[in-house]
Amino acid sequence: MNALYSLLFVFLLVLIPLFGVDAAHLRTFFGVCIPTTAFIIFVVGFVYKVITWGRSAVPFRIPTTGGQFQSFDPQLFKQNKLDCPQTGAQTFFRMVLEVFAFRSLFRNTAVSLYEGKDYPVVAYKSSKWLWLFAITFHYSFFIIALRHLRLFLEPIPFFVKGLEFVDGLLQIGAPVMYLADVGLVVGVLLLLGRRLVLPRINYISYVSDYFPLFLILAIALSGIYMRYYAKVDIIAIKELTMGLVTFHYVVPETISVSFFVHVFLVSTLMVYFPFSKLMHMPGVFLSPTRNLPNDSRAKHHVNPWNDPNIKAHAYADYEKEFGVPMAEAGLPLDNPENGIPKDKA
Amino acid sequence: MSDIPKADELFKSIDYNPPLTGWMETPVDFSPGHWCYPAKPEKIAYMDKKLPGLWGTPREWVPSEEDWKLPANWKETVVNGFRERLKKFRSLQLFMDICVRCGACADKCHYFIGSGDPKNMPVLRAELMRSVYRGEFTLAGKILSKLTGSRVMEENVLKEWFIYFYQCTQCRRCSLFCPYGIDTAEMTMMARELMHLVGLNTNWIMEPVSNCNITGNHLGIQPHAFKDIVDFMVDDIEEVTGRRVKAPLNEKGHEILFITPSGDVFADPGIYTFMGYLLLFDYLDLDYTLSTYASEGGNFGSFTNNESMKKLNAKMYAEAERLGCKWILGGECGHMWRVIHQYMDTMNGDNQWSGMTTPKSPITGTVFDTAAATKMLHITEFTADLIKHNKLKLDPSRNDHLRVTFHDSCNPARGMGLLEEPRYVLKHVCNNFFEMPPATIREQTFCCAGGSGLNTDEIMEIRLRGGLPRGNALRYVQEKHGVNLMACICAIDRATLIPLADYWAPGVAISGTHELVANALVLEEGEVRTMDMRQEPLPGFEDEDDDWTPPNMEDA
């Protein structure tokens, strides 16, 4: 049901620019006003959220350790530097692998129960499907986003050109098919399929889990449609996008409606981004269980709201309360008077 | 335990398919057996005097009844407390915002594996809180309601929190697998802080907290009784080894203060581990003292709120100062060590007295820079160093009747990274050591299902279900290698793993690591022992003249 709602909503989003541009002729509105506004909301929302996180304190170092810590004898007990970092550099590499290789997800296992010969068995097997789907999706998305820089920069930077070359290396079809385009569509479909098919994952999925997947799928398909089927006027589009960047707004007449659909969907994604789970993108960098070295037994750290007025129950009070039996048991007392029973004192 | 199903019946009852109703519509079972008993009002009243405003109104209430006698302004209190903690803990704020519900954590929780209850999937357990976060604090959540998983705080929501946040042992296994490191332990801690504000708590946590404050230990053992118990153990050590060990208590002027969880002093088999410490220290002629005032390492405050965690932890430094100790040696305990390793110096480092120094073994001269800030050393680090420097004469064959496996306690494993030291010690004191399957040990270790104050009998079925992953891994090595003993380095483990093993892997006993050290420790040249620390005959070392039969062997 949640998936269906999301799908319908994305359809609706496609219809808006179709009517808006074709019927209502709001070309400047959809070509300039919407994307500019969306971009501003994206940046402001994104920054606001990250600042909100940043203002929240990190009182304690609480890394989840995934291996042997740095022991008193590093030769005898070899430290797992990546999963149990103790220095800034080690932590940096842990984060690099986390961000670029999804290392924690790579560890994933699947549990199953079955009747063994003599006793029931709980079995665990490595399960890298989610890792594979996620990495396909994210890298494809990332490469496509970078490729789009050619529309916003003049001259086109060398790395964008290089990326395009590598991405189209297989040279299938004309125009050359990009691997990342395939990766993105396949990745989204796999992630979507997982949510639809696996009962447990389906159970935990909201509209807000399906919606971004359908939205990104629609963005990818509209992009592919423009490039491979509609063969839109790319020169005109670059005129428009460069206009956006340089604040000299132009909306050439030769740009077809499919472009406006694409841009409208991307704008929706930008607006949606800061208010949604998509913020896991900046969030992964800030996670206190991953981005801190495991060194709080070795080094002093400060909790900004530590309350110095909280003190241990005083020993003096303890001795006052238990002094008599302590004295009888022969335990030493700080104040011998505490050891004298009250009726004798 | 009579109404608990047999192990194989319970196993067959586990169904991983979620119910037909959405999680928000699925009713919560409040019948007895699903919750721990609420705290006695006098325990709350006592702690409210010590740390005012954190505990709600002391009262009698029963979770199975409709009326939980919440204060009139409960909603305001919880929502404001929530808002305050979002600012105080980036972990909470971030973990509320960034979960993508990928489900990687779903089958990592021992309670889910043993129950199939979807609200035991860490992702949904956290959604119990996130839904309220969205509904109360975010614009999008306020507009879009249930479709995006948001709801406002209501009484049934809070009641659901009570059931499920007291079904999380804060073991952090889910956090290891989460692509963003979202740690349910953090969220459970925050949810419990909020529930405490309106007086939703459990006696198995509050009574230890209040006892720790009054008597120094969670069992409420008073100083003279503590001394009696220690004397008793000294007698038992003499019975086994012929050696009368020193057990200094509350003595000033020693170099080292030794603190272990009081479970080691009180309950079988923890006492054998405690005897192991005493014997080892006497063998080394270590300059140390025990304390009745700081007679608990386990920090039950960490199961309630930050303030009591700090207060109970502060006792260790206060006592080191009073007794003039230079550093602290810590016994085998799980969450005590998470608190020491990750929180202690940040909370209480300023309370350290100037005479404290980085721990240095007086026997080997090793300086433990890894503990330079807290000045507190784990006993397996200390013993591993002794073994490495050949300072202990060990006869591992005295443990040959034991086929040993090791249970990594969650907190030292995932909150510290202490994995190799205990194994190193064990491998030097016993000849038969076997690992459980890789997905169930080290950083992937499974909880005993009784941590974070849940080792109480009224939720025994929940505990046994949660114990399935550990119990099943144990059963595996029992069948494959004939394992008959599981060693561990946590006092709660030593209490909770016994019913767990009896249920899932009958015939496996539980011990601490230093019990086995004590068995193997050769005190002097030519020393003969006929009993182990449990005063059971040592196979292969029987005394021919001795026809004494230990009480538990009479039927054999």
Side-chain angles (χ1 to χ4, degrees):
Chain A
M1 222 34 196
N2 281 342
L4 203 63
Y5 286 141
S6 308
L7 183 63
L8 285 174
F9 194 55
V10 173
F11 267 125
L12 198 70
L13 289 173
V14 174
L15 291 180
I16 293 171
L18 277 182
F19 282 101
V21 175
D22 262 7
H25 301 289
L26 298 167
R27 297 177 66 88
T28 310
F29 180 70
F30 282 96
V32 176
C33 302
I34 292 262
T36 310
T37 315
F39 184 72
I40 291 168
I41 294 174
F42 171 72
V43 171
V44 172
F46 190 98
V47 171
Y48 176 78
K49 196 84 214 179
V50 172
I51 288 175
T52 309
W53 293 338
R55 288 160 64 112
S56 187
V58 184
F60 303 109
R61 308 219 145 190
I62 50 161
T64 307
T65 55
Q68 173 68 29
F69 69 168
Q70 189 193 29
S71 189
F72 65 94
D73 190 335
Q75 269 86 46
L76 193 57
F77 308 115
K78 211 164 177 311
Q79 183 200 355
N80 184 333
K81 292 191 168 106
L82 284 176
D83 291 321
C84 199
Q86 192 107 1
T87 65
Q90 291 164 4
T91 312
F92 177 78
F93 283 112
R94 182 186 205 187
M95 286 306 293
V96 166
L97 281 175
E98 205 58 74
V99 172
F100 290 101
F102 301 4
R103 187 177 160 86
S104 290
L105 202 52
F106 193 71
R107 225 192 292 258
N108 199 17
T109 58
V111 74
S112 59
L113 306 178
Y114 65 91
E115 293 292 332
K117 195 156 60 70
D118 304 310
Y119 60 97
V121 174
V122 190
Y124 315 89
K125 64 174 195 308
S126 171
S127 171
K128 304 212 186 303
W129 293 113
L130 178 57
W131 175 86
L132 185 71
F133 297 173
I135 215 143
T136 307
F137 168 76
H138 283 89
Y139 269 99
S140 302
F141 201 131
F142 184 57
I143 289 167
I144 291 169
L146 281 184
R147 270 202 340 243
H148 276 70
L149 284 179
R150 71 194 292 262
L151 296 173
F152 299 95
L153 297 169
E154 191 59 56
I156 298 165
F158 71 96
F159 71 90
V160 174
K161 285 183 177 159
L163 202 62
E164 273 169 17
F165 174 74
V166 175
D167 202 6
L169 209 57
L170 290 188
Q171 306 211 348
I172 300 170
V176 170
M177 189 183 79
Y178 287 132
L179 293 172
D181 291 4
V182 180
L184 184 62
V185 173
V186 169
V188 173
L189 288 175
L190 288 170
L191 290 172
L192 254 176
R194 197 177 155 270
R195 279 198 190 276
L196 291 168
V197 171
L198 301 180
R200 278 206 303 265
I201 309 303
N202 189 278
Y203 195 69
I204 57 173
S205 298
Y206 303 130
V207 163
S208 47
D209 294 306
Y210 292 108
F211 173 66
L213 285 171
F214 280 119
L215 183 60
I216 291 166
L217 183 64
I219 290 171
L221 293 178
S222 63
I224 287 168
Y225 175 79
M226 274 194 291
R227 176 174 164 81
Y228 301 98
Y229 300 98
K231 310 219 165 143
V232 290
D233 184 350
I234 194 78
I235 310 284
I237 288 175
K238 179 139 188 182
E239 216 176 309
L240 185 148
T241 53
M242 285 310 294
L244 291 176
V245 181
T246 55
F247 307 111
H248 293 97
Y249 306 111
V250 274
V251 184
E253 281 302 312
T254 49
I255 298 177
S256 65
V257 71
S258 58
F259 169 79
F260 291 98
V261 172
H262 186 68
V263 167
F264 186 74
L265 294 174
V266 172
S267 303
T268 310
L269 186 68
M270 285 198 287
V271 172
Y272 181 71
F273 199 100
F275 307 100
S276 70
K277 70 170 195 176
L278 301 179
M279 286 301 281
H280 68 272
M281 192 262 252
V284 66
F285 293 90
L286 287 160
S287 178
T289 57
R290 292 286 187 272
N291 71 4
L292 294 169
N294 176 31
D295 65 354
S296 41
R297 196 154 56 108
K299 277 187 203 148
H300 182 66
H301 300 286
V302 175
N303 170 0
W305 48 263
N306 191 30
D307 183 352
N309 297 316
I310 297 174
K311 301 260 197 256
H313 178 65
Y315 174 81
D317 294 339
Y318 173 84
E319 203 180 88
K320 253 181 218 145
E321 191 171 354
F322 300 111
V324 176
M326 282 174 84
E328 279 169 12
L331 290 166
L333 295 179
D334 278 3
N335 179 1
E337 279 176 22
N338 286 330
I340 304 166
K342 281 219 169 69
D343 48 350
K344 288 181 189 164
Chain B
M1 273 176 65
S2 55
D3 52 351
I4 289 175
K6 288 206 174 71
D8 49 344
E9 287 167 22
L10 190 150
F11 187 89
K12 285 196 189 100
S13 76
I14 303 168
D15 180 6
Y16 288 160
N17 287 309
L20 296 171
T21 48
W23 70 263
M24 283 191 207
E25 287 84 43
T26 307
V28 181
D29 190 348
F30 290 103
S31 57
H34 290 85
W35 34 265
C36 310
Y37 299 147
K40 295 171 191 153
E42 68 264 26
K43 305 294 166 196
I44 300 296
Y46 173 78
M47 281 314 291
D48 196 54
K49 267 190 285 176
K50 303 295 163 187
L51 292 167
L54 298 173
W55 312 98
T57 322
R59 68 191 193 282
E60 298 273 4
W61 64 284
V62 183
S64 56
E65 285 173 5
E66 184 63 30
D67 182 10
W68 287 19
K69 300 176 187 167
L70 290 164
N73 63 342
W74 73 266
K75 185 178 168 174
E76 202 188 340
T77 310
V78 171
V79 171
N80 289 341
F82 201 158
R83 189 177 292 116
E84 182 192 332
R85 278 159 187 80
L86 288 168
K87 293 200 185 75
K88 284 169 87 175
F89 296 92
R90 187 180 299 168
S91 51
L92 181 66
Q93 174 71 60
L94 198 71
F95 297 163
M96 289 291 118
D97 284 324
I98 66 172
C99 175
V100 299
R101 289 170 294 282
C102 71
C105 60
D107 58 355
K108 304 304 180 284
C109 173
H110 49 285
Y111 284 123
F112 176 75
I113 293 174
S115 73
D117 184 342
K119 285 176 197 166
N120 276 329
M121 296 192 283
V123 48
L124 264 198
R125 197 190 307 279
E127 284 297 321
L128 303 182
M129 261 189 118
R130 272 192 211 108
S131 55
V132 175
Y133 167 77
R134 290 188 208 106
E136 298 283 349
F137 303 125
T138 71
L139 186 65
K142 279 178 183 156
I143 300 167
L144 292 166
S145 80
K146 235 175 63 181
L147 290 177
T148 55
S150 62
R151 57 182 180 177
V152 291
M153 193 71 202
E154 279 166 5
E155 196 162 324
N156 59 355
V157 172
L158 188 70
K159 287 181 174 180
E160 195 179 34
W161 281 19
F162 179 77
I163 296 293
Y164 286 100
F165 287 112
Y166 286 104
Q167 258 182 72
C168 165
T169 48
Q170 309 179 353
C171 81
R172 307 178 111 197
R173 192 169 189 270
C174 51
S175 167
L176 182 75
F177 293 91
C178 174
Y180 320 116
I182 295 176
D183 183 4
T184 309
E186 280 291 289
M187 274 176 280
T188 297
M189 287 163 110
M190 296 308 130
R192 289 188 181 184
E193 287 203 359
L194 297 177
M195 287 192 285
H196 274 285
L197 292 177
V198 291
L200 295 190
N201 44 48
T202 74
N203 199 57
W204 221 99
I205 292 172
M206 282 314 295
E207 188 158 338
V209 167
S210 111
N211 282 345
C212 286
N213 203 56
I214 306 168
T215 60
N217 58 69
H218 87 272
L219 296 152
I221 307 168
Q222 299 187 359
H224 51 296
F226 194 92
K227 181 168 190 305
D228 279 351
I229 297 170
V230 172
D231 287 346
F232 196 73
M233 285 196 272
V234 169
D235 290 343
D236 278 0
I237 294 170
E238 193 175 11
E239 180 79 31
V240 174
T241 66
R243 183 173 178 126
R244 183 115 195 127
V245 301
K246 289 195 300 284
L249 267 171
N250 294 359
E251 287 181 8
K252 289 190 180 178
H254 293 290
E255 181 185 358
I256 302 164
L257 171 62
F258 179 69
I259 300 177
T260 197
S262 60
D264 284 353
V265 191
F266 174 73
D268 180 348
I271 50 169
Y272 308 120
T273 304
F274 196 91
M275 286 157 66
Y277 308 139
L278 293 179
L279 189 65
L280 175 70
F281 298 157
D282 194 76
Y283 172 90
L284 299 170
D285 198 18
L286 197 70
D287 183 21
Y288 85 106
T289 185
L290 302 158
S291 160
T292 62
Y293 164 75
S295 51
E296 176 68 83
N299 192 318
F300 285 75
S302 69
F303 308 146
T304 60
N305 49 43
N306 272 274
E307 290 80 1
S308 13
M309 168 163 66
K310 177 176 158 79
K311 187 170 173 60
L312 297 183
N313 176 267
K315 190 169 282 188
M316 299 191 189
Y317 284 143
E319 187 66 339
E321 176 166 12
R322 187 182 75 87
L323 298 175
C325 298
K326 287 185 185 158
W327 56 276
I328 308 172
L329 186 58
E332 301 178 12
C333 183
H335 76 274
M336 154 182 168
W337 269 99
R338 176 147 184 239
V339 172
I340 290 166
H341 189 83
Q342 296 195 325
Y343 298 92
M344 185 183 196
D345 182 69
T346 315
M347 291 185 305
N348 283 317
D350 304 335
N351 295 334
Q352 264 183 33
W353 76 292
S354 56
M356 290 196 93
T357 56
T358 301
K360 178 182 173 183
S361 171
I363 316 297
T364 64
T366 303
V367 177
F368 295 89
D369 287 321
T370 46
T374 53
K375 320 284 194 285
M376 195 152 172
L377 195 64
H378 194 285
I379 181 109
T380 61
E381 298 179 284
F382 180 71
T383 306
D385 176 60
L386 292 170
I387 292 172
K388 184 202 157 196
H389 287 92
N390 222 4
K391 297 291 181 190
L392 302 181
K393 191 158 168 31
L394 297 165
D395 180 0
S397 70
R398 284 195 195 142
N399 284 321
D400 275 357
H401 58 304
L402 302 173
R403 299 176 70 80
V404 182
T405 191
F406 179 67
H407 163 71
D408 289 273
S409 310
C410 312
N411 283 300
R414 280 184 291 266
M416 209 176 155
L418 182 82
L419 305 175
E420 292 302 335
E421 287 87 343
R423 286 181 166 77
Y424 181 81
V425 171
L426 280 173
K427 284 174 188 168
H428 280 85
V429 298
C430 65
N431 289 318
N432 308 304
F433 179 80
F434 307 94
E435 292 279 15
M436 286 180 281
T440 69
I441 55 166
R442 296 177 189 269
E443 68 275 2
Q444 296 196 44
T445 189
F446 273 107
C447 185
C448 63
S452 85
L454 303 186
N455 52 334
T456 171
D457 287 356
E458 59 261 25
I459 52 161
M460 191 47 96
E461 185 176 333
I462 288 173
R463 281 173 52 191
L464 292 173
R465 284 182 177 277
L468 169 65
R470 172 45 75 232
N472 200 258
L474 183 58
R475 180 71 180 265
Y476 175 81
V477 282
Q478 185 186 25
E479 300 281 331
K480 192 170 178 197
H481 302 295
V483 160
N484 57 12
L485 184 87
M486 177 154 62
C488 60
I489 49 166
C490 172
I492 288 180
D493 284 338
R494 286 190 280 278
T496 59
L497 289 173
I498 292 171
L500 189 155
D502 285 347
Y503 190 78
W504 291 114
V508 180
I510 310 299
S511 84
T513 302
H514 277 73
E515 176 186 341
L516 303 184
V517 172
N519 278 346
L521 195 62
V522 180
L523 299 173
E524 54 202 79
E525 206 59 49
E527 186 210 1
V528 183
R529 262 196 234 175
T530 58
M531 294 182 276
D532 64 13
M533 297 310 286
R534 302 186 181 199
Q535 301 194 23
E536 286 167 8
L538 270 179
F541 295 90
E542 293 94 343
D543 186 347
E544 280 170 21
D545 303 330
D546 187 1
D547 58 357
W548 178 77
T549 314
N552 57 347
M553 297 292 283
E554 270 158 9
D555 299 332

